[in-house]
Amino acid sequence: MEELVALCKRRGFIFQTNEIYGGLQGLFDYGPLGVELKNNLKQAWWRSMVYERDDIEGLDAAILTNPEVLKQSGHEETFTDPLVDCRSCNSRWRADHLEKSACPSCGSKDLTEPRPFNLMFKTNVGPIDDGTSFAYLRPETAQQTFTNFKNVVDSTSKNLPFGIAQIGKAFRNEVTPRNFIFRVREMEQMELEFFVKPGTDEEWHQFWVKNRLSWWSKQGVSEEKLDLYDVPNKELAHYSKSTIDIMYKFPHGLEELEGVANRTDFDLKAHSNASGENLSIFDDKTNQHITPYVIEPSSGVDRAVMALLVDAYNEEEITSASGKTETRVLLKLDPSISPVKVAVLPLSRNEKLTPLAKSVFDTLRKSNLIGGHVQYDDAQSIGRRYRRQDEIGTPLCVTVDFDSLDDNAVTIRERDTMEQTRVSLETLESDLALKLKS
Ligand code: ATP
């Protein structure tokens, strides 16, 4: 894990936020490569939810939330973690994360009784700060989806079953943020609220668990590191009839990557009752207004990025051309997720090679067939540039050498096998596209 965190900083994936001022706990920034990786992942989710299905619509709602919404949803009362204080060193901890009921900082067992600590952040809205004009920063995207239920139904004429997908920031004032980007205070979520007829909810719940498991494998997460956890009744959130968590073997243990909850009609009914707005849908088969049940697959983008990086990180012993054994670090990311799809590398910085390499780069960066970020790199030796591209997970490098000037061909070098193939410039774009897909 330490090596991965160091790589994330060195290569520009993830930085501690405001590091020059000592940081802010539980907050991270995504650098030039991190933002690409994150965007690729979010796009893959959006594509599979909104574009590849005809029963899901998208939404992008506000972060600041009317307190009434989170009062009616039950979050004001129950969105809490049990907090304990250590009487010896005054540190604070989540009671359910303690080992052997001892303070992780000083080891003392002199702890206060656990008390509920609400995880929602509040902020003042408008120029008067008198304690009444506040809003919450949403702790999940879901509530904004529920309050928009009628707007989406009325504007799209949907019938059951159908879903609303949303990707966006959510905030939780975690007592002990930790394990890099696993538990943070500002995160991004990818949440689907899938509305179904009551009575079909259990079937749809199973459907979404299976669907999400296979989606994670498609993104390159190893199947053997995934597991399911049927959350026992006493651990269920207040709105849930049943929840299956998709677990991933993180370096610090088997932990939740995504929760798939059967939220019943709890939220829609609560908001209907409190707002007076009818949040039901007309079912033309039974001629009745139905308040649907909701199946919610909800995952954190940050946790997903961590799982993908952990899974992709590899170290290999290789023998260099000079016979020396060295360690090659590589990120075996799926090409669809890799921040850089192709790197164009002239063998050396040279007045004859540079124009050709630049023109290859220009074609590839605009290519719809490649459809992603292409980098040009001519600094340092070719070996070091290959190592750098391996470390950031670039699946393919294109090397332009002196022979290219005569034979109009270049070399494609593959990250995982280090295999090199000579291809004509005429077919380069389609050859690369084919390799990226295979
Ligand atoms: P945990 O038990 O780990 O605190 P949770 O059960 O509270 O998680 P949910 O409310 O189900 O989490 O949120 C859905 C998803 O959002 C989680 O599966 C996780 O991927 C992500 N998530 C939740 N809290 C955080 C956090 N503090 N930092 C990063 N991601 C988070």
Side-chain angles (χ1 to χ4, degrees):
M1 196 57 213
E2 266 168 38
E3 269 129 43
L4 183 65
V5 174
L7 185 149
C8 282
K9 178 167 180 196
R10 187 172 69 245
R11 293 301 189 194
F13 280 91
I14 299 164
F15 309 127
Q16 196 192 357
T17 203
N18 302 155
E19 196 179 0
I20 60 168
Y21 286 103
L24 198 53
Q25 218 199 346
L27 294 161
F28 290 89
D29 297 336
Y30 287 80
L33 296 178
V35 64
E36 296 295 335
L37 178 62
K38 216 174 165 194
N39 283 344
N40 290 341
L41 182 75
K42 290 192 284 183
Q43 273 163 21
W45 188 88
W46 195 261
R47 223 179 299 121
S48 82
M49 290 294 182
V50 183
Y51 300 161
E52 289 171 15
R53 298 183 63 96
D54 57 8
D55 54 2
I56 297 181
E57 302 283 345
L59 179 75
D60 182 16
I63 286 169
L64 294 184
T65 310
N66 185 329
E68 198 56 27
V69 173
L70 292 154
K71 180 176 174 194
Q72 298 307 331
S73 67
H75 283 78
E76 271 194 350
E77 205 176 323
T78 60
F79 197 61
T80 58
D81 277 338
L83 181 77
V84 292
D85 291 281
C86 170
R87 291 197 183 91
S88 295
C89 70
N90 294 325
S91 57
R92 290 186 154 173
W93 304 99
R94 228 178 106 164
D96 55 335
H97 282 176
L98 294 182
E99 276 172 33
K100 297 186 188 124
S101 307
C103 169
S105 179
C106 71
S108 165
K109 294 207 164 181
D110 189 9
L111 306 175
T112 60
E113 279 301 304
R115 62 187 186 285
F117 171 73
N118 196 297
L119 300 182
M120 290 196 292
F121 282 101
K122 267 183 188 174
T123 190
N124 191 55
V125 176
I128 301 163
D129 186 3
D130 62 0
T132 58
S133 52
F134 73 94
Y136 288 114
L137 275 67
R138 62 184 183 189
E140 58 177 13
T141 68
Q143 294 307 322
Q144 306 294 57
T145 302
F146 298 134
T147 55
N148 273 296
F149 176 76
K150 193 169 162 13
N151 289 333
V152 176
V153 170
D154 290 351
S155 57
T156 61
S157 327
K158 284 286 174 201
N159 290 316
L160 293 180
F162 83 96
I164 304 177
Q166 194 173 179
I167 300 178
K169 291 268 185 174
F171 300 79
R172 297 183 183 185
N173 196 4
E174 297 281 353
V175 178
T176 41
R178 57 183 169 174
N179 296 321
F180 196 32
I181 51 170
F182 176 81
R183 187 174 299 286
V184 288
R185 289 184 169 139
E186 175 176 336
M187 59 163 148
E188 233 174 327
Q189 288 186 313
M190 308 184 282
E191 288 195 311
L192 168 70
E193 307 306 317
F194 197 75
F195 303 96
V196 304
K197 276 188 196 163
T200 64
D201 51 307
E202 289 179 12
E203 219 174 290
W204 277 110
H205 194 193
Q206 293 306 321
F207 168 87
W208 279 110
V209 171
K210 269 203 207 129
N211 176 296
R212 297 301 303 145
L213 262 181
S214 85
W215 186 84
W216 285 113
S217 317
K218 262 198 224 146
Q219 311 319 309
V221 176
S222 317
E223 273 171 48
E224 62 275 12
K225 288 197 177 166
L226 290 168
D227 210 344
L228 293 180
Y229 176 63
D230 195 344
V231 179
N233 281 347
K234 62 177 177 12
E235 286 176 27
L236 287 177
H238 60 280
Y239 49 72
S240 174
K241 170 176 161 184
S242 104
T243 297
I244 309 236
D245 286 343
I246 298 178
M247 312 292 279
Y248 178 78
K249 274 198 195 93
F250 286 97
H252 60 276
L254 188 66
E255 294 252 28
E256 176 181 336
L257 174 63
E258 170 161 12
V260 187
N262 182 343
R263 291 184 81 128
T264 70
D265 54 5
F266 177 88
D267 301 270
L268 287 180
K269 279 221 165 118
H271 293 307
S272 266
N273 292 340
S275 67
E277 196 69 61
N278 183 359
L279 302 181
S280 64
I281 185 167
F282 187 71
D283 178 35
D284 42 19
K285 288 209 183 80
T286 54
N287 271 347
Q288 278 179 329
H289 283 277
I290 296 176
T291 306
Y293 267 39
V294 178
I295 307 301
E296 177 197 66
S298 166
S299 58
V301 178
D302 311 81
R303 266 184 209 184
V305 166
M306 182 158 157
L308 288 169
L309 288 172
V310 163
D311 224 291
Y313 187 89
N314 272 274
E315 286 181 6
E316 281 178 8
E317 294 292 313
I318 55 160
T319 313
S320 70
S322 60
K324 264 202 310 197
T325 307
E326 51 182 90
T327 306
R328 177 169 91 111
V329 173
L330 73 161
L331 286 185
K332 281 192 179 174
L333 290 166
D334 190 271
S336 63
I337 297 292
S338 292
V340 177
K341 309 288 176 212
V342 177
V344 178
L345 317 173
L347 193 62
S348 62
R349 214 178 266 172
N350 170 283
E351 61 186 23
K352 285 205 178 116
L353 277 190
T354 302
L356 179 62
K358 285 263 177 187
S359 90
V360 170
F361 172 54
D362 228 40
T363 310
L364 297 181
R365 81 216 281 211
K366 292 177 192 148
S367 160
N368 285 333
L369 275 179
I370 309 290
H373 197 29
V374 178
Q375 263 191 1
Y376 183 87
D377 187 5
D378 64 358
Q380 301 182 318
S381 74
I382 189 76
R384 290 181 87 144
R385 281 180 278 155
Y386 283 147
R387 295 291 161 275
R388 178 177 175 276
Q389 296 299 336
D390 288 344
E391 267 199 11
I392 67 172
T394 306
L396 301 171
C397 291
V398 172
T399 313
V400 181
D401 57 25
F402 289 98
D403 288 342
S404 308
L405 298 168
D406 300 323
D407 66 1
N408 218 28
V410 289
T411 303
I412 299 178
R413 184 248 192 202
E414 300 187 31
R415 175 193 67 200
D416 297 352
T417 57
M418 293 193 287
E419 219 172 80
Q420 307 207 0
T421 329
R422 194 83 182 158
V423 301
S424 157
L425 278 176
E426 268 156 40
T427 59
L428 177 63
E429 233 178 299
S430 52
D431 288 336
L432 288 169
L434 214 64
K435 282 186 188 288
L436 287 172
K437 288 217 170 70
S438 65

